[in-house]
Amino acid sequence: MAAKVSGASDKSVQDVLLHDVTPLSLGVATKGCIFDVVIPRNTPIPTSNAKTYVTVYDNQLSATINVYQGERSKSTDNHLLGKFEIFGIPPASKGVSHVMNCFEIDANGILTVTASITSTGKMKKLVISNENGRLSKEEIENMVNDVEKYKHEDQEFKKKEKALNALEDCIYNMKNKIEEHSVKKSVHHEIL
C-alpha cells in the first residue's frame, strides 16, 4: 500500500490488491456453550456463509441465537455481538426440526445474521453495524493473544462438552428405545 501511494514503479507491487478481512471468527453459541464458527477469522469481505442447526429438546418451539465474535471454544469467553429469538418451530422430537443461520458481511462491514426455520420458512434477522458492539483494535489483539494462552483449557472444555452432549444423546436414544419396547410389549400382551 505504501509503495502504491509513494508511486513505486515495481510491477509486482502495483498489482497487489488489499482486501478487508474479518478480524475475528464469527459464530453462534450451541448446546453446552460451545462456540460454533460460521465465518472464520481472516475471511475476505464481503462474504456470507450459512449453517444448519437442529433442535436440542423435544417439542422445542423457539431458539435463541447468540452471535459471538472471537476465537475461544467456550462461547461466553468470546464477545457477544447480539442475540435474538426465533419462534414458530413446529413441535417435534429433538433433532428433527432445523434452523438455518446465515451470516452475511457486506462491503461496509455490516453483519446481518438471519435465522430461518427450514420447514416453515419463517425468518428473523439481526443487523450489527461497525459502531454497534464491535471490539477495538486493541481488544481484538488481546483476544487473538488469548487463543494461545488458553489453548489447553479450551481443548479440555470442548472435549468435555462434546462427551457430555454425546452422553445426553445416548441416554435420550436409550430412553426412547425402552419406551418403544414397552409399548410393543404392552400391545403384544393385549392381543394375547
Side-chain angles (χ1 to χ4, degrees):
M1 183 72 145
K4 275 187 156 186
V5 172
S6 68
S9 60
D10 185 358
K11 180 74 175 149
S12 64
V13 173
Q14 292 299 321
D15 292 337
V16 171
L17 181 61
L18 295 176
H19 289 282
D20 280 335
V21 296
T22 57
L24 292 168
S25 297
L26 298 165
V28 296
T30 59
K31 184 179 175 190
C33 290
I34 295 175
F35 178 56
D36 189 49
V37 174
V38 178
I39 296 181
R41 179 175 180 236
N42 290 330
T43 299
I45 58 175
T47 189
S48 68
N49 195 21
K51 279 192 173 183
T52 301
Y53 299 91
V54 296
T55 52
V56 293
Y57 307 106
D58 284 342
N59 302 313
Q60 183 175 337
L61 303 175
S62 67
T64 301
I65 314 299
N66 293 306
V67 180
Y68 285 93
Q69 175 184 36
E71 300 301 319
R72 303 283 306 278
S73 295
K74 189 176 186 181
S75 59
T76 54
D77 288 337
N78 294 304
H79 178 68
L80 179 66
L81 290 172
K83 66 181 179 177
F84 63 101
E85 196 159 0
I86 187 164
F87 296 92
I89 299 172
S93 297
K94 164 185 169 174
V96 172
S97 297
H98 294 79
V99 176
M100 180 184 289
N101 292 336
C102 182
F103 280 52
E104 185 175 341
I105 305 173
D106 69 14
N108 297 319
I110 297 173
L111 171 64
T112 303
V113 180
T114 308
S116 62
I117 301 168
T118 307
S119 61
T120 66
K122 186 172 183 177
M123 296 174 70
K124 183 110 183 231
K125 79 168 60 169
L126 171 70
V127 177
I128 301 166
S129 63
N130 280 331
E131 15 345 287
N132 182 13
R134 295 281 176 100
L135 297 171
S136 68
K137 216 173 200 173
E138 184 179 287
E139 291 170 315
I140 291 170
E141 286 176 20
N142 288 340
M143 288 191 90
V144 170
N145 292 336
D146 283 350
V147 172
E148 197 56 44
K149 186 176 174 182
Y150 297 106
K151 185 177 182 177
H152 180 70
E153 181 182 314
D154 284 352
Q155 287 172 340
E156 289 302 311
F157 166 77
K158 204 168 192 175
K159 208 185 307 181
K160 182 185 107 191
E161 284 304 317
K162 282 187 175 185
L164 182 61
N165 287 341
L167 176 62
E168 286 177 2
D169 289 344
C170 181
I171 292 169
Y172 176 83
N173 291 333
M174 289 301 292
K175 181 181 146 232
N176 285 345
K177 289 220 185 277
I178 290 168
E179 287 174 3
E180 206 176 280
H181 182 68
S182 295
V183 168
K184 284 180 182 175
K185 197 173 186 180
S186 164
V187 169
H188 179 71
H189 285 297
E190 287 176 17
I191 295 172
L192 295 175

